[in-house]
Amino acid sequence: MGKFKKEDFLVKLLCLVASVGLWIYIINNVNPNRRTTFRDLRVQVKNAESLKAQNLILVPGQEFFVTLTIEGPANQVFTAIPSSFSLSLDLSDYALKAGTNEIPLRTYDKIPDYTKVISSDQVLKVAVDALAEKSVDIKKDGLKYHPAEGYYVPEPQLDSTVAMISGPKTDVDKVAALMLQGEKNGIASNQKEVVKVIPVDDKMNEVPNITSSKSFVEVTYTALTVKTDVPVTLRTIQSNSEIFLRTQTPVPSKVSIAAKDSVLKNITEIQTTSLDLSMVSAGARDYPVSLIIPAEVTILDESGVPMDPLIAAHIVAEPLKSKMITKELAILGKPSSGNIIPVTLKININLSGVEADLDKLNEAQVTAGVDVTGLSIGSHSLPVKVVLAGLLWAFVHHFCAGIRF
């Protein structure tokens, strides 16, 4: 029984060896043609830059794949893999136009040895656009920057504000600007940084496939020291005999300013443009004036941003009334010689002031006289001196008195 099993195993082993040998013989000596199909074989595009001579550009992001059926000896066909193929499309061989171009793939750089392609021509749909360029502004709207406490940072400066862009016309037409984006906090000194430019449309969406003459821009941040509570001085011109100014106040009366330390140390106030008092009427009103901003100085509002230099002058004025009184002329002082013979004994005085003050005025508060101190014998015309108490203006009808010795 054991001998029979041993012989049976030996027979099977001999059959296996014979089968393998026969298969090797057939493959190597009787090698029939076979076919097989490969799908999604990648096609490489060559010489895309040649389109620039025609003012065209290959639309970026395209990938091309084909399906090939090959025929050849079985030992070649069945051992082929996708990397056995090298397929390319040379755009310099074609006259293309803007739009979709259908190009047949008829040549193959590399296929398995002893095989041939038997499938029909493969047509590739190649999208081409017109090559366009234009000049666009570089904008800093996307930059966020925050000064350290006690400092102010004005708008950063760029080493370039315009750049040329190029690319497919469809994409170039969408570009509204080259945007800078970034954020810096706690700026307390002058700083520089290089920021990448990003092409964006009018909705701030990034536009792809764009080449810019400026890929990066140098941004300069300047830190200025802030000085607070600087008084505002209201300047006035002309006068107004019809009103009495109770108060005249600039609004705001104090401001913060930012500048270099060397500039700040010389500034103690901020003046306004002149308010013409002849244009002021009675009542409480605001009149527009502007801050006179010194060179290299920025005026800041309460939130720390540049403020409008146009401010208000708050004026409280009361109308003036008139009142006529007659006073006896007093002789003041002593002449050097002779006796005094006054020509005019009384004088009319026109007083002007706020009605409430005029009503309260006691005429005894008003004196009028001429000073004869040191005069010699003869006739003299002397100015009348009027002394009064209160917020009044005195207008004397007879400004001079004749004095004879």
Side-chain angles (χ1 to χ4, degrees):
M1 188 68 177
K3 182 179 179 181
F4 177 75
K5 289 182 177 180
K6 183 176 181 180
E7 291 176 352
D8 183 57
F9 172 76
L10 185 58
V11 171
K12 292 179 178 180
L13 180 60
L14 291 174
C15 290
L16 178 60
V17 171
S19 298
V20 172
L22 180 61
W23 179 80
I24 293 174
Y25 172 77
I26 293 173
I27 292 299
N28 288 281
N29 296 284
V30 186
N31 194 9
N33 281 352
R34 292 288 185 268
R35 292 182 180 181
T36 190
T37 298
F38 289 86
R39 293 177 173 80
D40 296 327
L41 294 175
R42 184 182 296 274
V43 179
Q44 180 183 3
V45 175
K46 293 182 178 180
N47 295 319
E49 65 278 3
S50 66
L51 296 178
K52 290 183 179 180
Q54 307 172 53
N55 289 322
L56 298 174
I57 186 171
L58 181 68
V59 175
Q62 297 181 85
E63 294 183 313
F64 304 100
F65 300 90
V66 295
T67 296
L68 294 182
T69 298
I70 63 171
E71 181 181 76
N75 65 331
Q76 295 294 328
V77 169
F78 294 141
T79 57
I81 57 176
S83 61
S84 303
F85 298 84
S86 177
L87 311 176
S88 65
L89 178 65
D90 190 342
L91 296 184
S92 64
D93 295 336
Y94 302 92
L96 304 180
K97 65 182 187 303
T100 300
N101 299 263
E102 295 187 351
I103 304 176
L105 183 66
R106 295 194 179 98
T107 59
Y108 314 99
D109 297 343
K110 172 187 171 185
I111 60 174
D113 294 338
Y114 310 111
T115 65
K116 62 180 180 179
V117 177
I118 64 169
S119 62
S120 58
D121 290 347
Q122 298 291 314
V123 176
L124 303 177
K125 294 184 177 181
V126 180
V128 174
D129 200 352
L131 178 63
E133 65 176 15
K134 69 177 181 180
S135 174
V136 294
D137 294 333
I138 301 174
K139 295 189 175 181
K140 48 195 171 186
D141 303 32
L143 293 176
K144 297 180 180 179
Y145 49 95
H146 307 283
E149 186 175 356
Y151 291 90
Y152 165 71
V153 177
E155 284 193 8
Q157 300 300 306
L158 311 180
D159 68 345
S160 296
T161 57
V162 177
M164 293 295 298
I165 63 169
S166 62
K169 186 177 186 303
T170 303
D171 294 321
V172 169
D173 288 346
K174 295 178 183 177
V175 177
L178 293 173
M179 189 61 65
L180 301 179
Q181 295 181 341
E183 185 169 1
K184 289 187 74 66
N185 295 305
I187 302 174
S189 61
N190 297 345
Q191 300 179 21
K192 295 180 183 290
E193 70 172 347
V194 176
V195 180
K196 182 180 179 181
V197 298
I198 302 174
V200 296
D201 60 19
D202 54 5
K203 295 183 179 179
M204 297 299 293
N205 298 315
E206 184 173 355
V207 180
N209 311 321
I210 296 296
T211 300
S212 173
S213 62
K214 295 288 293 185
S215 299
F216 296 89
V217 170
E218 184 179 80
V219 181
T220 301
Y221 297 94
T222 303
L224 302 176
T225 304
V226 174
K227 185 177 183 179
T228 60
D229 296 328
V230 179
V232 176
T233 301
L234 178 63
R235 296 169 58 189
T236 60
I237 57 173
Q238 304 297 336
S239 61
N240 193 328
S241 60
E242 297 180 356
I243 60 170
F244 170 69
L245 292 175
R246 283 289 183 192
T247 60
Q248 48 186 26
T249 309
V251 181
S253 60
K254 294 181 179 180
V255 294
S256 295
I257 62 175
K260 298 176 182 177
D261 292 337
S262 58
V263 175
L264 283 181
K265 68 181 182 180
N266 297 319
I267 297 178
T268 58
E269 65 175 1
I270 297 294
Q271 295 188 348
T272 70
T273 53
S274 297
L275 174 65
D276 187 348
L277 295 180
S278 66
M279 304 300 294
V280 174
S281 57
R285 291 183 175 84
D286 288 339
Y287 297 86
V289 292
S290 293
L291 297 173
I292 299 175
I293 304 176
E296 300 184 64
V297 172
T298 301
I299 308 291
L300 305 177
D301 63 15
E302 294 179 352
S303 60
V305 299
M307 65 177 287
D308 189 336
L310 184 65
I311 65 169
H314 185 69
I315 304 297
V316 178
E318 297 183 42
L320 290 178
K321 301 294 183 180
S322 296
K323 183 177 181 179
M324 181 74 70
I325 65 173
T326 301
K327 296 294 294 185
E328 185 176 335
L329 189 66
I331 304 299
L332 308 175
K334 292 182 179 182
S336 61
S337 62
N339 296 316
I340 300 172
I341 305 173
V343 176
T344 303
L345 298 177
K346 292 187 178 182
I347 190 167
N348 293 325
I349 302 174
N350 186 16
L351 299 176
S352 180
V354 177
E355 185 174 13
D357 291 335
L358 286 177
D359 291 342
K360 293 185 293 183
L361 178 68
N362 185 338
E363 291 190 14
Q365 295 175 263
V366 183
T367 60
V370 291
D371 188 355
V372 298
T373 301
L375 295 180
S376 60
I377 296 174
S379 295
H380 302 271
S381 293
L382 302 175
V384 177
K385 295 182 179 180
V386 178
V387 180
L388 58 140
L391 301 174
L392 301 172
W393 287 262
F395 299 95
V396 183
H397 278 204
H398 301 285
F399 288 92
C400 294
I403 303 297
R404 188 176 63 192
F405 296 87

